[in-house]
Amino acid sequence: MLGASGSVGGVLVGALLRSGAFGTVVTVGRTSLPAQLAEAKSARVRLREVMVPDMTPEQLQQATSNAVDALEGEVVGLSVLGIGAGTAKLTMAQHRDVDVALNAAFARGLAATGKVRHLALMSAVGANAAASAQGSGAAGTSRYNRVKGEAEAAVLASGLAVVSVFRPAMIIGSRHTPRLLEMLLPLFSWATPVKYRSIRVEQIAAAMVATAHRTPPASAVYHYGEMLAMG
């Protein structure tokens, strides 16, 4: 798993540990997360942390392949890596360096082992690799959507047989979502198109665990309605 230190990532790790479906959970990241190790000990599930302090695409790809090669049995990949806030302050290249380059490297590292068929990837509603590259790059703008779309395309081109793409809208429970929005948005859900409705971090995690537990027959994109049904 990639992105364990984020708001969705932390909840997803907990969901994987409690599911009872996985003998070992491997996280790939820059630093150790002691709270997750303690949670794994309590759940009696092995959690292995693979440290990649110099998080370049090359280093990440190699570390991912090495981690998979050390595992036995069926292996499934999950990534919730992405820049959660402040994308308007970044250049498009800086945004791509994380969301596109690192997710692509992770997917290539999984595919290179020949042991992984399926990757569950969190993207964002509106992702579109053909969207305009103009604008601020803030969440929901065309440039932001383009970077997310490029990340999806790069992962799909990695050679993995199945890629499950999750596209949440506003995420409730993320440290990057203003508290006021978390309180107000659900009140207007009746007037919001289904795929743009706000969703809780726990609901995203439950849907991703469901697809990781039972690999879908083909690559697909999942929005709010599908995620709730799977969770």
Side-chain angles (χ1 to χ4, degrees), residues 30-104:
R30 289 187 174 90
T31 59
S32 178
L33 300 169
Q36 293 182 1
L37 291 170
E39 188 174 4
K41 184 176 181 180
S42 177
R44 297 184 179 180
V45 176
R46 183 187 179 203
L47 173 62
R48 179 187 169 203
E49 296 183 320
V50 174
M51 299 293 101
V52 189
D54 183 18
M55 189 65 80
T56 64
E58 295 76 19
Q59 293 287 340
L60 174 58
Q61 181 174 338
Q62 188 60 58
T64 300
S65 290
N66 292 344
V68 173
D69 285 336
L71 296 171
E72 296 181 356
E74 183 180 357
V75 183
V76 178
L78 301 100
S79 177
V80 289
L81 180 72
I83 299 177
T87 51
K89 300 177 182 178
L90 304 177
T91 65
M92 190 168 182
Q94 289 171 326
H95 195 178
R96 281 171 168 156
D97 284 345
V98 176
D99 284 51
V100 181
L102 294 183
N103 275 306

Side-chain angles (χ1 to χ4, degrees), residues 87-88 125-127 131-132 134-147:
T87 51
V125 69
S132 172
Q134 304 303 311
S136 70
T141 64
S142 63
R143 197 181 88 183
Y144 180 92
N145 291 342
R146 178 168 180 141
V147 172

Side-chain angles (χ1 to χ4, degrees), residues 1-5 9 12-13 16 24-30 48-52 54-69 71 75-82 96-123 150-164 166 208 212:
M1 176 182 159
L2 186 65
S5 63
L12 179 55
V13 169
L16 291 167
T24 301
V25 175
V26 181
T27 58
V28 183
R30 289 187 174 90
R48 179 187 169 203
E49 296 183 320
V50 174
M51 299 293 101
V52 189
D54 183 18
M55 189 65 80
T56 64
E58 295 76 19
Q59 293 287 340
L60 174 58
Q61 181 174 338
Q62 188 60 58
T64 300
S65 290
N66 292 344
V68 173
D69 285 336
L71 296 171
V75 183
V76 178
L78 301 100
S79 177
V80 289
L81 180 72
R96 281 171 168 156
D97 284 345
V98 176
D99 284 51
V100 181
L102 294 183
N103 275 306
F106 182 63
R108 290 195 302 270
L110 296 173
T113 67
K115 296 171 66 174
V116 182
R117 294 187 62 251
H118 178 213
L119 169 63
L121 170 73
M122 188 179 78
S123 180
E150 289 179 357
E152 293 180 7
V155 168
L156 285 164
S158 67
L160 294 167
V162 179
V163 177
S164 298
F166 295 82
M208 295 186 77

Side-chain angles (χ1 to χ4, degrees), residues 163-206:
V163 177
S164 298
V165 177
F166 295 82
R167 290 182 180 173
M170 186 70 71
I171 300 175
I172 298 175
S174 168
R175 61 175 175 264
H176 304 299
T177 303
R179 179 62 178 160
L180 182 59
L181 279 179
E182 287 191 347
M183 296 171 62
L184 292 177
L185 285 177
L187 300 177
F188 298 96
S189 61
W190 60 272
T192 305
V194 174
K195 74 176 184 179
Y196 293 104
R197 291 178 183 174
S198 55
I199 187 169
R200 298 193 59 82
V201 288
E202 294 85 1
Q203 292 168 323
I204 300 169

